[in-house]
């Protein structure tokens, strides 16, 4: 600047002496030069200041806003900086995500004024936001806001965040003049937008990190992140709790190494897991899954995978889950699936698996394997009389006793209610197996106390041996079961070894059941009658109705070949009702023919007797056939009454009140309790034929028979002797005042037409009996 002014004044001599300017010209020329110089120099300085503002003011704003820690604080600092730079009378920052009334803090403007300006210059704001250019204009106050007639210059500056419109800055000039330099204002808008967006992103990042940490802390799994420089980058509270890790252990520079030592000191398989960590350190790109058993008994599942950023491995994420309870539950479920809950012995599934494995080994070693099948005799009676809790105690004690009778490697299992099986491997032969079976029978036969009650239990045993009795587990079990049923048929409390003939018997039994189900529909049954001779009159006073089956293939089938099957299957109920109806109907027909009235006796099975509608059913049959109740007698066995004496007494009383006679069959073969004879209101008892068969050769049978007759008469009961086949037997019974006789000596079971003929015309044998014995009544 000094040089310019020196040059201007230095040219004065040149103008005076060379160009001969006069004084007026010299003054005018010098003033013109000074004017031009001053104008040029001031313009240059003004432009330089303008450039300085464009570069320094936005940077200053960035520094000002950058010192803020929150978006709200940055708003205030931005407006304060603008006010200082431009001497504003008011300023406001309107962001694009703000609703009306939620504007940011304003400098010198209340919220009503900000809303008024926003409404008044809405189109200008939209133009600025769309064009991303600042807009400066003068707005008449009365037009913008009521009660304000001052004129102010309003600048609307776009706020740009990384090229995206984020809002506008409203700046009011107190002088009413344009703020000018739009490029500077645009720079300020960009600087403000970038700074505010950075702060907002930081807020969002902090929120996201907070949510992430809360999520990690709320999960049931323990999580830890180990970065490449062996630092612990992140972890959750669950991880610390699971491993009981002191938190300060993870904050050190070598936290991963310290954590690894802590973990290795607590796992059982330290060497194995230490090798796994070494392998993962050598190849960090693989996933891993491990089960870790801790020294305190807990079980963890540890899963890890590499942490990558843009394809580069920067660390490893470990997720650890405590599966102790799940493992215990699975173990319990497996035990329940393969063990009996009551005795804790293997169940059928586990027994079958072990038997299959034993058979495979025996095929290689050529050694026999025995399957022993046990069923407790009359176990239902224990449950019915002593209760199911007592029955459970018996089963537990038997299971424990059986386990002591076998060797290590053998198996005792409970496969059903009162059924047990034994797997005996490497058995020596039939004698060795028989010895084991004998010990089992002897052990179970011993008296045992349940509660305060001493009971005696027996078992029936079936044995099947590999390979002769079956080549697979299913066949051996089935054949051992078959042999067990043969043992029950042989009187129980014994053992039987399987033979092929037993299977033939089972096949016949299954066939019998199938044919029985169709026999009623096909009318294959018939009723035969065996006469009963009355000692007082020596006349036929009654007949026992006995069922016969006219099988289309097997011919005439006796009750002993199918009644037990009918009992087991429940078919005895409809079959028994059919016999009752047929006997009542035919007896009524004989009476209608004018034949001497007799009593027809029908057997009731235990299953029939337990029917809730038994009395009603009998009454219905009598009403249907027209037979009077006094001509019907029902026979029941001792076993029928012993199951539920109270119920039996009530049913018998109802039948006798109706007029039906009731007798007890097979007396002397069951429990033979005299208390039952006293308790039940019976009409007659029948002495079983097993006593009559050896009546004349066995003093014991003779004594028992005579005693039964005497006891029955003392109780007011009639006596029927069945199985009378000889004159000597009849003489003995007559001598001891037996009331009624039944047996082949009197008459065989015959179809109804044959009994009808006997009632019409007595046979020669009946005539000879009448001649031999006098009548007791006139």
């Amino acid at each position: 600047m000094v040089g310019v002014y020196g040059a201007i004044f230095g040219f004065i001599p040149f103008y005076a002496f060379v160009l001969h300017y006069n004084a007026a010209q010299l003054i005018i020329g010098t003033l013109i030069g000074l004017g031009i110089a001053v104008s040029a120099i001031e313009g240059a300085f003004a432009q330089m200041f303008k450039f300085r503002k464009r570069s320094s003011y936005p940077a200053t704003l960035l520094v000002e806003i950058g010192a803020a820690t929150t978006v709200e604080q940055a708003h205030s600092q931005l407006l304060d900086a603008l006010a200082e730079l431009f001497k504003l009378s008011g300023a406001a920052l309107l962001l694009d995500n703000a609703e009306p009334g939620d504007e940011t803090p304003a400098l010198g403007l209340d919220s009503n004024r900000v809303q008024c300006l926003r409404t008044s210059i809405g189109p200008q704001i939209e133009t600025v936001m769309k064009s991303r250019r600042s807009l400066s204009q003068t707005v008449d106050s009365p037009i913008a806001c009521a009660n304000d007639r001052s004129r102010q210059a309003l600048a609307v500056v776009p706020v740009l965040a990384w090229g995206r419109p984020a809002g506008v800055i409203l700046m009011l000039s107190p002088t009413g003049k344009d703020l000018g330099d739009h490029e500077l204002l645009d720079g300020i808008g960009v600087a403000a937008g970038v700074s505010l967006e950075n702060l907002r992103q930081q807020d969002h990042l902090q929120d996201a990190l907070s949510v992430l940490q809360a999520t990690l802390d709320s999960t049931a799994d323990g999580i830890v992140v180990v970065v490449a420089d062996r630092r612990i980058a992140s972890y959750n509270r669950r991880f610390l709790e699971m491993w009981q890790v002191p938190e300060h252990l993870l904050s050190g520079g070598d936290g991963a190494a310290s954590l690894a030592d802590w973990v290795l000191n607590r796992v059982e398989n330290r060497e194995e897991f230490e090798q796994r960590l070494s392998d993962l350190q050598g190849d960090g790109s693989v996933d891993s899954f491990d089960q870790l058993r801790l020294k305190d008994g807990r079980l963890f599942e540890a899963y890890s995978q590499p942490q990558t950023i843009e394809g580069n491995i920067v660390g490893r994420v470990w997720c650890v889950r405590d599966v102790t309870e799940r493992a215990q539950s699975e173990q319990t479920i497996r035990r329940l699936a393969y063990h009996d809950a009551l005795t804790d012995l293997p169940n059928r599934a586990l027994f079958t698996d072990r038997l299959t494995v034993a058979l495979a080994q025996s095929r290689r070693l050529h050694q026999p394997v025995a399957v022993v099948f046990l069923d407790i005799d009359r176990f239902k009676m224990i449950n019915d009389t002593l209760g199911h809790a007592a029955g459970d105690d018996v089963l537990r004690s038997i299971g424990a006793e059986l386990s002591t009778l076998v060797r290590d490697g053998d198996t005792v299992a409970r496969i059903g209610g009162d059924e047990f099986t034994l797997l005996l491997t490497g058995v020596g032969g039939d004698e060795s197996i028989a010895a084991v079976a004998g010990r089992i029978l002897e052990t179970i036969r011993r008296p045992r106390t349940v509660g305060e009650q001493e009971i005696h239990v027996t078992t029936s045993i079936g044995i099947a041996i590999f390979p002769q009795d079956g080549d697979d587990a299913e066949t051996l079990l089935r054949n051992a079961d078959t042999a067990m049923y043969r043992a029950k048929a042989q009187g129980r409390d014994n053992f039987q070894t399987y033979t092929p003939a037993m299977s033939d018997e089972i096949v016949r039994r299954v066939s019998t059941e199938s044919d029985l189900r169709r026999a009623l529909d096909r009318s294959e049954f018939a009723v035969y009658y065996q006469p009963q001779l009355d000692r007082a009159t020596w006349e036929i006073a009654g007949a026992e109705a006995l069922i016969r089956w006219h099988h289309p293939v097997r011919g005439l089938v006796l009750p002993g070949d199918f009644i037990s099957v009918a009992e087991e299957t429940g078919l005895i109920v409809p079959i028994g009702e059919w016999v009752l109806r047929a006997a009542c109907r035919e007896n009524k027909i004989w009476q209608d023919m004018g034949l001497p009235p007799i009593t027809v006796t029908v057997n009731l099975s235990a299953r029939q007797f337990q029917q809730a509608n038994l009395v009603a059913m009998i009454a219905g049959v009598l009403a249907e056939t027209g037979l009077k109740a006094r001509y019907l007698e029902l026979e029941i066995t001792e076993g029928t009454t012993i199951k539920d004496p109270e119920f039996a007494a009530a049913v018998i009383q109802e039948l006798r009140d109706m007029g039906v006679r009731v007798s007890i069959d097979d007396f002397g073969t069951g429990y033979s309790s005299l208390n039952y004879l006293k308790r039940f209101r019976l009409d007659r008892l029948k002495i079983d034929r097993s006593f009559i068969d050896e009546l004349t050769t066995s003093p014991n049978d003779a004594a028992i028979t005579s005693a039964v007759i005497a006891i029955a008469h003392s109780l007011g009961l009639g006596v029927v002797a069945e199985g009378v086949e000889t004159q000597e037997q009849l003489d003995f019974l007559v001598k001891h005042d037996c009331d009624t006789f039944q047996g082949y000596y009197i008459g065989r079971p015959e179809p109804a037409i044959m009994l009808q003929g006997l009632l019409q015309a007595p046979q020669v044998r009946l005539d000879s009996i009448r001649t031999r014995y006098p009548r007791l009544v006139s």
Side-chain angles (χ1 to χ4, degrees), residues 320-338:
V320 184
R321 176 170 298 178
D322 188 343
V323 295
T324 306
E325 292 185 3
R326 189 189 75 188
Q328 292 173 347
S329 299
E330 291 174 352
Q331 183 178 1
T332 301
I333 292 172
R334 283 195 299 270
R335 186 155 193 87
L336 291 175
Y338 291 103

Side-chain angles (χ1 to χ4, degrees), residues 22 194 241 425 439 485 525 532 561 717:
N22 55 31
V194 171
E241 295 169 359
T425 58
R439 289 198 300 271
Y485 276 106
F525 291 119
Q532 295 176 339
D561 294 332
L717 301 177

